[in-house]
Amino acid sequence: MNLFDWSFAWHILPDLLRASLNTLTITLLGFAIAVAAGLLLAIGRRSRHLWLSWPVAGLIEFIRSTPLLIQVYFLFYVFPNYGLNLTAMQAGILGIALHYACYTAEVYRAGLDAVPRGQWEAVTALNMAPLTAYRDIILPQALRPILPALGNYLVAMLKDTPVLSAITVVEIMQQAKNIGSESFRYLEPITMVGLFFLILSLGLAWFVRRLEGRLELAPR
Amino acid sequence: MPQPIVRFTDVTKRYGNLTVLNNLNLDVEAGEKVAIIGPSGSGKSTLLRALMTLEDIDEGIITVDDEPLTHMPARDGRLVRANARHQRKVRGKIGMVFQSFNLFPHMSALQNVMEAPVQVLGLDRKEARERACELLDMVGLGEKHDHYPSQLSGGQQQRVAIARALAMRPKVMLFDEVTSALDPELCGEVLSVIRRLGAEHSLTMLMVTHQMGFAREFADRICFFHQGRIHEQGTPAELFGNPREDRTRCFLSAVNEAQ
């Protein structure tokens, strides 16, 4: 009875793969938003203007100090009372993206802080506008050392997507639970989901490592 | 009488309780080469850094080419603290070379020199490349265009940094202890570039230096800094040959002993 039933596994594979598309969409779209928003948050937090840096710092600490589950609950179940109506998928992507934006913001901050002060001074002496300075000089140097940390968050985010099943997003884990509750067989679907996450996590980690190699700053 | 190109009027800069620049007054004529010497902590570098807007000053005013740098006229004509945009406009006339080179490590020598002319002055890449090549040739690095800072010696890096600053065609160049981070045998190549610059261009130069021999031979005027102000100044012959102040004599003999 408890042996792995290959034909059942084969039978449920299409359903799981379909649901895995949601997992992938959430991860990739969410991470794209997270790295962009995280950068803006990091720059905001470093601002010399207190009216900007304080609220941003507060937001980052608030989001980092509360569980993702509660945040997505608010987005999906509470905010509609105030007129913000999002689909489960939209709320899920937004929630997980914001959550991870705050973590990546702290990573960016470490990267930006590690750029020597002399680089900022050179940028000032050459009269560069802040945008140019960030884009051409500061970010390329800040990004390289934090790529591994950003990669970690990509994988962590992938593994956090099942949280969104709480707001009715049918990602791969929810699909596996649905299959289990209908067939009373959990071994196959849960094993397959575990393998899915394992393979994808290893794949993403490999991709990030390759990226690191390609973004080597300068010959040594 | 022409207006000085750089003017410090009653400039004071403090770090907490420490006064680094103390009611400093200094006029620099266009084309003049001023060497600033003095004990460490006397405010020499702060003077250059304030002129480059790397430090805010607490009191006084700095003008460049008749335009206030640290201040700008408000609507009612009064001078108020300059905003970032005004500072950017005025400091475009100033270039600076740093003790620690501060080249961009992810760019080749050529890219280092081209970057600001393209991004800030809006030169097209071809023109910027020509200007950069010319300057790299001038500093004797015609063969090293594609080398990255990590592949260059300290002296070579500093010469790229000089070319990079010159590419912006500044009217005033600031040299902040540009040989202090170099091995003695590499100082010469950097100093000879500066010497040539002085001979071939009418650039105004302010340099903070510990190279007394170079200051004596190169500068039109020497300013001896002590406790945040100019304690004594004069031509190299006056200041080195016949210093009036005890403090100056004391400093010069200490330096002589060390060298």
Side-chain angles (χ1 to χ4, degrees):
Chain A
M1 171 63 202
N2 274 331
L3 284 181
F4 198 90
D5 183 341
W6 287 96
S7 72
F8 180 63
W10 186 249
H11 173 70
I12 61 173
L13 185 63
D15 283 344
L16 287 178
L17 284 181
R18 216 169 302 122
S20 78
L21 287 181
N22 276 348
T23 301
L24 287 174
T25 309
I26 294 163
T27 306
L28 295 181
L29 206 57
F31 197 69
I33 299 173
V35 289
L39 178 59
L40 294 179
L41 289 173
I43 292 173
R45 187 170 192 173
R46 286 171 57 93
S47 168
R48 276 198 299 175
H49 304 291
L50 293 184
W51 56 264
L52 182 62
S53 63
W54 282 30
V56 168
L59 179 75
I60 291 175
E61 291 312 322
F62 176 74
I63 292 186
R64 289 202 319 156
S65 310
T66 49
L68 174 61
L69 186 59
I70 295 176
Q71 290 159 14
V72 292
Y73 253 83
F74 260 88
L75 277 175
F76 189 63
Y77 289 117
V78 179
F79 280 13
N81 298 337
Y82 303 96
L84 182 70
N85 286 295
L86 298 170
T87 66
M89 197 63 177
Q90 288 166 343
I93 292 175
L94 186 66
I96 206 165
L98 273 182
H99 191 80
Y100 276 90
C102 293
Y103 282 100
T104 54
E106 290 302 285
V107 174
Y108 280 119
R109 193 160 71 114
L112 291 169
D113 286 347
V115 175
R117 215 166 60 126
Q119 294 291 307
W120 285 103
E121 294 180 348
V123 156
T124 306
L126 293 168
N127 218 6
M128 286 189 197
L131 190 69
T132 320
Y134 266 110
R135 188 193 60 205
D136 291 1
I137 309 299
I138 305 300
L139 275 181
Q141 297 181 59
L143 278 184
R144 176 60 188 78
I146 63 168
L147 270 182
L150 285 181
N152 275 345
Y153 280 122
L154 174 61
V155 173
M157 187 167 181
L158 168 72
K159 293 189 298 177
D160 258 355
T161 52
V163 169
L164 303 188
S165 63
I167 57 165
T168 76
V169 173
V170 183
E171 40 66 61
I172 191 168
M173 183 63 192
Q174 182 62 33
Q175 184 67 21
K177 281 192 287 185
N178 290 347
I179 292 170
S181 60
E182 282 164 18
S183 65
F184 301 106
R185 290 199 66 101
Y186 284 94
L187 175 63
E188 293 82 4
I190 300 300
T191 307
M192 288 161 78
V193 171
L195 277 176
F196 167 82
F197 278 110
L198 181 66
I199 291 167
L200 213 57
S201 297
L202 291 175
L204 288 175
W206 174 81
F207 168 75
V208 171
R209 259 201 308 280
R210 269 195 47 147
L211 200 64
E212 279 169 44
R214 288 187 49 162
L215 290 185
E216 201 64 59
L217 268 184
R220 287 165 204 285
Chain B
M1 166 115 183
Q3 278 285 316
I5 191 161
V6 172
R7 165 165 274 178
F8 283 69
T9 311
D10 296 328
V11 172
T12 295
K13 166 75 185 172
R14 297 184 199 92
Y15 295 116
N17 288 330
L18 183 71
T19 304
V20 201
L21 297 179
N22 186 3
N23 258 316
L24 176 93
N25 288 286
L26 172 67
D27 282 359
V28 180
E29 303 298 329
E32 199 180 6
K33 293 159 185 36
V34 179
I36 298 159
I37 62 171
S40 59
S42 59
K44 306 178 304 272
S45 286
T46 308
L47 171 95
L48 297 192
R49 294 172 57 81
L51 184 50
M52 194 68 257
T53 72
L54 296 173
E55 308 277 357
D56 290 330
I57 57 173
D58 296 307
E59 282 160 40
I61 183 166
I62 304 174
T63 56
V64 174
D65 220 2
D66 277 344
E67 248 186 309
L69 167 76
T70 47
H71 295 69
M72 60 183 187
R75 276 207 197 96
D76 58 5
R78 278 180 321 124
L79 283 181
V80 295
R81 285 265 158 192
N83 60 21
R85 187 203 233 165
H86 177 85
Q87 283 196 340
R88 279 198 70 207
K89 198 181 95 197
V90 180
R91 75 167 172 235
K93 294 173 181 156
I94 306 172
M96 185 162 182
V97 182
F98 300 90
Q99 177 175 354
S100 48
F101 328 137
N102 298 350
L103 290 183
F104 305 134
H106 58 303
M107 294 183 175
S108 69
L110 189 69
Q111 288 169 325
N112 261 282
V113 183
M114 281 175 64
E115 171 72 12
V118 170
Q119 300 295 345
V120 181
L121 304 181
L123 259 59
D124 66 52
R125 298 197 75 81
K126 187 169 159 283
E127 203 178 337
R129 176 180 290 268
E130 278 167 19
R131 186 184 285 193
C133 287
E134 221 169 87
L135 285 165
L136 285 174
D137 283 349
M138 191 203 84
V139 299
L141 292 171
E143 310 293 301
K144 305 272 185 192
H145 288 184
D146 298 325
H147 285 55
Y148 282 80
S150 56
Q151 299 168 316
L152 297 171
S153 72
Q156 291 169 333
Q157 287 188 57
Q158 194 59 296
R159 286 185 281 151
V160 174
I162 292 173
R164 181 176 71 171
L166 289 173
M168 297 296 283
R169 304 263 161 95
K171 291 185 168 182
V172 181
M173 276 282 275
L174 312 179
F175 296 90
D176 188 9
E177 300 195 29
V178 293
T179 55
S180 296
L182 297 176
D183 292 337
E185 78 266 24
L186 298 179
C187 289
E189 63 188 55
V190 172
L191 293 180
S192 73
V193 165
I194 297 175
R195 205 174 281 130
R196 268 190 57 199
L197 257 183
E200 292 170 14
H201 299 269
S202 56
L203 212 51
T204 310
M205 298 191 199
L206 272 82
M207 63 179 65
V208 169
T209 184
H210 294 295
Q211 306 272 337
M212 297 304 150
F214 182 73
R216 182 172 201 157
E217 141 220 358
F218 180 77
D220 302 316
R221 172 159 51 131
I222 312 284
C223 294
F224 173 68
F225 253 65
H226 181 54
Q227 294 179 341
R229 36 171 100 203
I230 299 172
H231 200 66
E232 179 172 358
Q233 58 180 321
T235 64
E238 287 165 0
L239 199 117
F240 288 115
N242 189 18
R244 292 181 309 260
E245 302 283 337
D246 285 345
R247 193 66 195 79
T248 316
R249 271 195 292 274
C250 192
F251 173 76
L252 289 175
S253 70
V255 171
N256 278 337
E257 231 162 85
Q259 282 181 348

